[in-house]
Amino acid sequence: MRFHFSLEGLLRVRESFEKQIEQQLAVAVAELQRVKAMIEAVREQLMSTETELGRLLARGSTGAYVHLLCYERHLLERRELALAESLTAASAAVQEQQHRLRVAQQKRKILETLREKQLALYLLTAGRREQQNLDDTFLLRRYGHEGGKDVA
């Protein structure tokens, strides 16, 4: 008789669910990285605008161009604030997916541990059964056909 784990189907479902959550976590991490890259790009644009504005003010430029750069700086600062909120949301999403993954892993590991224990018990029982069969075979050969006389 071969080993059969009655919860094998549930174990496969748990493994599949865990893989699905791992994929969702990868998507959340990619989104977090994307938002971080966007923030970095906005900060670089902001530094460039600040540098240009400082250069224009130092050499004395027209008010219209200075005003345009100030407005661009204002828009970049607003964009950076909006991205900071997106970063917070993306970070929370990553943390949520990490938590879901830990829970899914725990549930899968519980079933795997149960399967391993049942397999160990099965192997122990099978080993004992085989040893009993060997013992019975030995005894039958030794004492079986002679009515209890030692044949050897």
PDB file of all heavy atoms in Angstrom, residues 49-74:
ATOM      1  N   THR A  49      15.946  73.092 -12.094  1.00  0.00           N
ATOM      2  CA  THR A  49      15.187  74.352 -12.133  1.00  0.00           C
ATOM      3  C   THR A  49      15.749  75.351 -11.131  1.00  0.00           C
ATOM      4  O   THR A  49      15.892  76.541 -11.439  1.00  0.00           O
ATOM      5  CB  THR A  49      13.698  74.085 -11.847  1.00  0.00           C
ATOM      6  OG1 THR A  49      13.195  73.171 -12.818  1.00  0.00           O
ATOM      7  CG2 THR A  49      12.870  75.347 -11.884  1.00  0.00           C
ATOM      8  N   GLU A  50      16.081  74.870  -9.939  1.00  0.00           N
ATOM      9  CA  GLU A  50      16.674  75.748  -8.917  1.00  0.00           C
ATOM     10  C   GLU A  50      18.012  76.322  -9.392  1.00  0.00           C
ATOM     11  O   GLU A  50      18.292  77.502  -9.198  1.00  0.00           O
ATOM     12  CB  GLU A  50      16.876  74.979  -7.604  1.00  0.00           C
ATOM     13  CG  GLU A  50      15.613  74.613  -6.864  1.00  0.00           C
ATOM     14  CD  GLU A  50      14.958  75.807  -6.199  1.00  0.00           C
ATOM     15  OE1 GLU A  50      15.633  76.842  -5.970  1.00  0.00           O
ATOM     16  OE2 GLU A  50      13.764  75.699  -5.889  1.00  0.00           O
ATOM     17  N   THR A  51      18.814  75.463 -10.025  1.00  0.00           N
ATOM     18  CA  THR A  51      20.107  75.911 -10.532  1.00  0.00           C
ATOM     19  C   THR A  51      19.918  76.973 -11.611  1.00  0.00           C
ATOM     20  O   THR A  51      20.590  78.014 -11.606  1.00  0.00           O
ATOM     21  CB  THR A  51      20.906  74.720 -11.106  1.00  0.00           C
ATOM     22  OG1 THR A  51      21.068  73.752 -10.066  1.00  0.00           O
ATOM     23  CG2 THR A  51      22.262  75.152 -11.608  1.00  0.00           C
ATOM     24  N   GLU A  52      19.011  76.716 -12.523  1.00  0.00           N
ATOM     25  CA  GLU A  52      18.722  77.672 -13.610  1.00  0.00           C
ATOM     26  C   GLU A  52      18.183  78.975 -13.042  1.00  0.00           C
ATOM     27  O   GLU A  52      18.569  80.063 -13.481  1.00  0.00           O
ATOM     28  CB  GLU A  52      17.725  77.052 -14.598  1.00  0.00           C
ATOM     29  CG  GLU A  52      17.352  77.940 -15.760  1.00  0.00           C
ATOM     30  CD  GLU A  52      18.494  78.182 -16.722  1.00  0.00           C
ATOM     31  OE1 GLU A  52      19.488  77.445 -16.711  1.00  0.00           O
ATOM     32  OE2 GLU A  52      18.386  79.159 -17.502  1.00  0.00           O
ATOM     33  N   LEU A  53      17.311  78.873 -12.065  1.00  0.00           N
ATOM     34  CA  LEU A  53      16.742  80.073 -11.444  1.00  0.00           C
ATOM     35  C   LEU A  53      17.832  80.889 -10.755  1.00  0.00           C
ATOM     36  O   LEU A  53      17.888  82.119 -10.896  1.00  0.00           O
ATOM     37  CB  LEU A  53      15.654  79.666 -10.448  1.00  0.00           C
ATOM     38  CG  LEU A  53      14.837  80.782  -9.815  1.00  0.00           C
ATOM     39  CD1 LEU A  53      14.128  81.619 -10.869  1.00  0.00           C
ATOM     40  CD2 LEU A  53      13.829  80.202  -8.841  1.00  0.00           C
ATOM     41  N   GLY A  54      18.709  80.235 -10.036  1.00  0.00           N
ATOM     42  CA  GLY A  54      19.813  80.934  -9.373  1.00  0.00           C
ATOM     43  C   GLY A  54      20.727  81.606 -10.381  1.00  0.00           C
ATOM     44  O   GLY A  54      21.195  82.732 -10.167  1.00  0.00           O
ATOM     45  N   ARG A  55      20.995  80.927 -11.484  1.00  0.00           N
ATOM     46  CA  ARG A  55      21.853  81.499 -12.527  1.00  0.00           C
ATOM     47  C   ARG A  55      21.201  82.742 -13.152  1.00  0.00           C
ATOM     48  O   ARG A  55      21.865  83.754 -13.397  1.00  0.00           O
ATOM     49  CB  ARG A  55      22.098  80.421 -13.597  1.00  0.00           C
ATOM     50  CG  ARG A  55      23.386  80.576 -14.344  1.00  0.00           C
ATOM     51  CD  ARG A  55      23.759  79.338 -15.135  1.00  0.00           C
ATOM     52  NE  ARG A  55      22.656  78.565 -15.672  1.00  0.00           N
ATOM     53  CZ  ARG A  55      22.206  78.644 -16.931  1.00  0.00           C
ATOM     54  NH1 ARG A  55      22.793  79.442 -17.779  1.00  0.00           N
ATOM     55  NH2 ARG A  55      21.194  77.913 -17.324  1.00  0.00           N
ATOM     56  N   LEU A  56      19.907  82.646 -13.398  1.00  0.00           N
ATOM     57  CA  LEU A  56      19.201  83.777 -13.993  1.00  0.00           C
ATOM     58  C   LEU A  56      19.169  84.975 -13.050  1.00  0.00           C
ATOM     59  O   LEU A  56      19.334  86.126 -13.478  1.00  0.00           O
ATOM     60  CB  LEU A  56      17.773  83.384 -14.369  1.00  0.00           C
ATOM     61  CG  LEU A  56      17.616  82.507 -15.594  1.00  0.00           C
ATOM     62  CD1 LEU A  56      16.158  82.108 -15.769  1.00  0.00           C
ATOM     63  CD2 LEU A  56      18.114  83.219 -16.842  1.00  0.00           C
ATOM     64  N   LEU A  57      18.939  84.707 -11.780  1.00  0.00           N
ATOM     65  CA  LEU A  57      18.891  85.803 -10.812  1.00  0.00           C
ATOM     66  C   LEU A  57      20.270  86.440 -10.634  1.00  0.00           C
ATOM     67  O   LEU A  57      20.375  87.655 -10.427  1.00  0.00           O
ATOM     68  CB  LEU A  57      18.359  85.304  -9.472  1.00  0.00           C
ATOM     69  CG  LEU A  57      16.867  84.947  -9.439  1.00  0.00           C
ATOM     70  CD1 LEU A  57      16.493  84.342  -8.089  1.00  0.00           C
ATOM     71  CD2 LEU A  57      16.002  86.171  -9.732  1.00  0.00           C
ATOM     72  N   ALA A  58      21.325  85.642 -10.724  1.00  0.00           N
ATOM     73  CA  ALA A  58      22.684  86.157 -10.545  1.00  0.00           C
ATOM     74  C   ALA A  58      23.089  87.069 -11.699  1.00  0.00           C
ATOM     75  O   ALA A  58      23.788  88.068 -11.499  1.00  0.00           O
ATOM     76  CB  ALA A  58      23.670  85.005 -10.423  1.00  0.00           C
ATOM     77  N   ARG A  59      22.670  86.742 -12.917  1.00  0.00           N
ATOM     78  CA  ARG A  59      23.098  87.573 -14.049  1.00  0.00           C
ATOM     79  C   ARG A  59      22.051  88.602 -14.432  1.00  0.00           C
ATOM     80  O   ARG A  59      22.264  89.406 -15.325  1.00  0.00           O
ATOM     81  CB  ARG A  59      23.493  86.713 -15.228  1.00  0.00           C
ATOM     82  CG  ARG A  59      22.376  86.033 -15.916  1.00  0.00           C
ATOM     83  CD  ARG A  59      22.861  85.226 -17.083  1.00  0.00           C
ATOM     84  NE  ARG A  59      21.795  84.272 -17.370  1.00  0.00           N
ATOM     85  CZ  ARG A  59      21.516  83.811 -18.529  1.00  0.00           C
ATOM     86  NH1 ARG A  59      22.247  84.155 -19.553  1.00  0.00           N
ATOM     87  NH2 ARG A  59      20.531  82.983 -18.698  1.00  0.00           N
ATOM     88  N   GLY A  60      20.897  88.547 -13.792  1.00  0.00           N
ATOM     89  CA  GLY A  60      19.867  89.543 -14.047  1.00  0.00           C
ATOM     90  C   GLY A  60      19.104  89.255 -15.321  1.00  0.00           C
ATOM     91  O   GLY A  60      19.521  89.669 -16.394  1.00  0.00           O
ATOM     92  N   SER A  61      18.019  88.581 -15.204  1.00  0.00           N
ATOM     93  CA  SER A  61      17.217  88.201 -16.368  1.00  0.00           C
ATOM     94  C   SER A  61      15.857  88.865 -16.280  1.00  0.00           C
ATOM     95  O   SER A  61      15.529  89.525 -15.302  1.00  0.00           O
ATOM     96  CB  SER A  61      17.064  86.685 -16.401  1.00  0.00           C
ATOM     97  OG  SER A  61      16.375  86.273 -17.556  1.00  0.00           O
ATOM     98  N   THR A  62      15.063  88.639 -17.309  1.00  0.00           N
ATOM     99  CA  THR A  62      13.732  89.254 -17.353  1.00  0.00           C
ATOM    100  C   THR A  62      12.831  88.606 -16.329  1.00  0.00           C
ATOM    101  O   THR A  62      12.955  87.416 -16.007  1.00  0.00           O
ATOM    102  CB  THR A  62      13.092  89.077 -18.749  1.00  0.00           C
ATOM    103  OG1 THR A  62      12.916  87.690 -18.991  1.00  0.00           O
ATOM    104  CG2 THR A  62      13.948  89.710 -19.819  1.00  0.00           C
ATOM    105  N   GLY A  63      11.909  89.347 -15.833  1.00  0.00           N
ATOM    106  CA  GLY A  63      10.983  88.873 -14.814  1.00  0.00           C
ATOM    107  C   GLY A  63      10.073  87.768 -15.314  1.00  0.00           C
ATOM    108  O   GLY A  63       9.684  86.885 -14.556  1.00  0.00           O
ATOM    109  N   ALA A  64       9.738  87.808 -16.584  1.00  0.00           N
ATOM    110  CA  ALA A  64       8.826  86.804 -17.136  1.00  0.00           C
ATOM    111  C   ALA A  64       9.457  85.408 -17.085  1.00  0.00           C
ATOM    112  O   ALA A  64       8.804  84.436 -16.708  1.00  0.00           O
ATOM    113  CB  ALA A  64       8.455  87.165 -18.569  1.00  0.00           C
ATOM    114  N   TYR A  65      10.728  85.318 -17.472  1.00  0.00           N
ATOM    115  CA  TYR A  65      11.390  84.018 -17.477  1.00  0.00           C
ATOM    116  C   TYR A  65      11.603  83.518 -16.047  1.00  0.00           C
ATOM    117  O   TYR A  65      11.439  82.334 -15.770  1.00  0.00           O
ATOM    118  CB  TYR A  65      12.718  84.089 -18.242  1.00  0.00           C
ATOM    119  CG  TYR A  65      13.279  82.726 -18.549  1.00  0.00           C
ATOM    120  CD1 TYR A  65      12.554  81.793 -19.273  1.00  0.00           C
ATOM    121  CD2 TYR A  65      14.543  82.367 -18.095  1.00  0.00           C
ATOM    122  CE1 TYR A  65      13.069  80.529 -19.531  1.00  0.00           C
ATOM    123  CE2 TYR A  65      15.060  81.112 -18.348  1.00  0.00           C
ATOM    124  CZ  TYR A  65      14.320  80.192 -19.069  1.00  0.00           C
ATOM    125  OH  TYR A  65      14.820  78.951 -19.325  1.00  0.00           O
ATOM    126  N   VAL A  66      11.942  84.442 -15.135  1.00  0.00           N
ATOM    127  CA  VAL A  66      12.111  84.078 -13.727  1.00  0.00           C
ATOM    128  C   VAL A  66      10.771  83.597 -13.175  1.00  0.00           C
ATOM    129  O   VAL A  66      10.703  82.580 -12.468  1.00  0.00           O
ATOM    130  CB  VAL A  66      12.657  85.266 -12.909  1.00  0.00           C
ATOM    131  CG1 VAL A  66      12.588  84.989 -11.409  1.00  0.00           C
ATOM    132  CG2 VAL A  66      14.075  85.596 -13.340  1.00  0.00           C
ATOM    133  N   HIS A  67       9.701  84.299 -13.513  1.00  0.00           N
ATOM    134  CA  HIS A  67       8.366  83.912 -13.059  1.00  0.00           C
ATOM    135  C   HIS A  67       8.001  82.518 -13.601  1.00  0.00           C
ATOM    136  O   HIS A  67       7.435  81.692 -12.886  1.00  0.00           O
ATOM    137  CB  HIS A  67       7.329  84.952 -13.497  1.00  0.00           C
ATOM    138  CG  HIS A  67       5.943  84.613 -13.074  1.00  0.00           C
ATOM    139  ND1 HIS A  67       5.532  84.665 -11.765  1.00  0.00           N
ATOM    140  CD2 HIS A  67       4.867  84.179 -13.790  1.00  0.00           C
ATOM    141  CE1 HIS A  67       4.275  84.292 -11.685  1.00  0.00           C
ATOM    142  NE2 HIS A  67       3.843  83.991 -12.906  1.00  0.00           N
ATOM    143  N   LEU A  68       8.331  82.257 -14.851  1.00  0.00           N
ATOM    144  CA  LEU A  68       8.066  80.959 -15.470  1.00  0.00           C
ATOM    145  C   LEU A  68       8.815  79.850 -14.724  1.00  0.00           C
ATOM    146  O   LEU A  68       8.247  78.784 -14.440  1.00  0.00           O
ATOM    147  CB  LEU A  68       8.482  80.976 -16.945  1.00  0.00           C
ATOM    148  CG  LEU A  68       8.252  79.679 -17.716  1.00  0.00           C
ATOM    149  CD1 LEU A  68       6.767  79.390 -17.809  1.00  0.00           C
ATOM    150  CD2 LEU A  68       8.868  79.778 -19.090  1.00  0.00           C
ATOM    151  N   LEU A  69      10.075  80.090 -14.385  1.00  0.00           N
ATOM    152  CA  LEU A  69      10.840  79.091 -13.638  1.00  0.00           C
ATOM    153  C   LEU A  69      10.294  78.884 -12.217  1.00  0.00           C
ATOM    154  O   LEU A  69      10.280  77.754 -11.715  1.00  0.00           O
ATOM    155  CB  LEU A  69      12.312  79.467 -13.585  1.00  0.00           C
ATOM    156  CG  LEU A  69      13.099  79.258 -14.890  1.00  0.00           C
ATOM    157  CD1 LEU A  69      14.531  79.748 -14.734  1.00  0.00           C
ATOM    158  CD2 LEU A  69      13.092  77.796 -15.300  1.00  0.00           C
ATOM    159  N   CYS A  70       9.827  79.967 -11.610  1.00  0.00           N
ATOM    160  CA  CYS A  70       9.228  79.845 -10.268  1.00  0.00           C
ATOM    161  C   CYS A  70       7.944  79.015 -10.328  1.00  0.00           C
ATOM    162  O   CYS A  70       7.687  78.186  -9.445  1.00  0.00           O
ATOM    163  CB  CYS A  70       8.929  81.223  -9.681  1.00  0.00           C
ATOM    164  SG  CYS A  70      10.394  82.101  -9.120  1.00  0.00           S
ATOM    165  N   TYR A  71       7.176  79.231 -11.368  1.00  0.00           N
ATOM    166  CA  TYR A  71       5.944  78.454 -11.543  1.00  0.00           C
ATOM    167  C   TYR A  71       6.279  76.973 -11.801  1.00  0.00           C
ATOM    168  O   TYR A  71       5.640  76.078 -11.258  1.00  0.00           O
ATOM    169  CB  TYR A  71       5.105  79.034 -12.692  1.00  0.00           C
ATOM    170  CG  TYR A  71       3.793  78.322 -12.880  1.00  0.00           C
ATOM    171  CD1 TYR A  71       2.787  78.417 -11.920  1.00  0.00           C
ATOM    172  CD2 TYR A  71       3.564  77.538 -14.002  1.00  0.00           C
ATOM    173  CE1 TYR A  71       1.591  77.754 -12.073  1.00  0.00           C
ATOM    174  CE2 TYR A  71       2.365  76.863 -14.169  1.00  0.00           C
ATOM    175  CZ  TYR A  71       1.381  76.973 -13.200  1.00  0.00           C
ATOM    176  OH  TYR A  71       0.193  76.307 -13.359  1.00  0.00           O
ATOM    177  N   GLU A  72       7.309  76.731 -12.612  1.00  0.00           N
ATOM    178  CA  GLU A  72       7.739  75.348 -12.875  1.00  0.00           C
ATOM    179  C   GLU A  72       8.186  74.687 -11.572  1.00  0.00           C
ATOM    180  O   GLU A  72       7.852  73.519 -11.314  1.00  0.00           O
ATOM    181  CB  GLU A  72       8.882  75.329 -13.888  1.00  0.00           C
ATOM    182  CG  GLU A  72       9.361  73.935 -14.220  1.00  0.00           C
ATOM    183  CD  GLU A  72      10.507  73.927 -15.219  1.00  0.00           C
ATOM    184  OE1 GLU A  72      10.784  74.953 -15.854  1.00  0.00           O
ATOM    185  OE2 GLU A  72      11.143  72.865 -15.334  1.00  0.00           O
ATOM    186  N   ARG A  73       8.921  75.434 -10.751  1.00  0.00           N
ATOM    187  CA  ARG A  73       9.366  74.896  -9.459  1.00  0.00           C
ATOM    188  C   ARG A  73       8.159  74.553  -8.590  1.00  0.00           C
ATOM    189  O   ARG A  73       8.115  73.499  -7.960  1.00  0.00           O
ATOM    190  CB  ARG A  73      10.262  75.914  -8.755  1.00  0.00           C
ATOM    191  CG  ARG A  73      10.773  75.413  -7.400  1.00  0.00           C
ATOM    192  CD  ARG A  73      11.635  76.401  -6.695  1.00  0.00           C
ATOM    193  NE  ARG A  73      10.839  77.592  -6.409  1.00  0.00           N
ATOM    194  CZ  ARG A  73      11.317  78.742  -5.957  1.00  0.00           C
ATOM    195  NH1 ARG A  73      12.611  78.875  -5.759  1.00  0.00           N
ATOM    196  NH2 ARG A  73      10.534  79.757  -5.722  1.00  0.00           N
ATOM    197  N   HIS A  74       7.173  75.418  -8.580  1.00  0.00           N
ATOM    198  CA  HIS A  74       5.960  75.194  -7.798  1.00  0.00           C
ATOM    199  C   HIS A  74       5.252  73.911  -8.267  1.00  0.00           C
ATOM    200  O   HIS A  74       4.836  73.077  -7.444  1.00  0.00           O
ATOM    201  CB  HIS A  74       5.022  76.400  -7.921  1.00  0.00           C
ATOM    202  CG  HIS A  74       3.673  76.186  -7.324  1.00  0.00           C
ATOM    203  ND1 HIS A  74       3.464  76.137  -5.969  1.00  0.00           N
ATOM    204  CD2 HIS A  74       2.451  75.967  -7.902  1.00  0.00           C
ATOM    205  CE1 HIS A  74       2.185  75.915  -5.734  1.00  0.00           C
ATOM    206  NE2 HIS A  74       1.550  75.813  -6.893  1.00  0.00           N
TER     207      HIS A  74
END
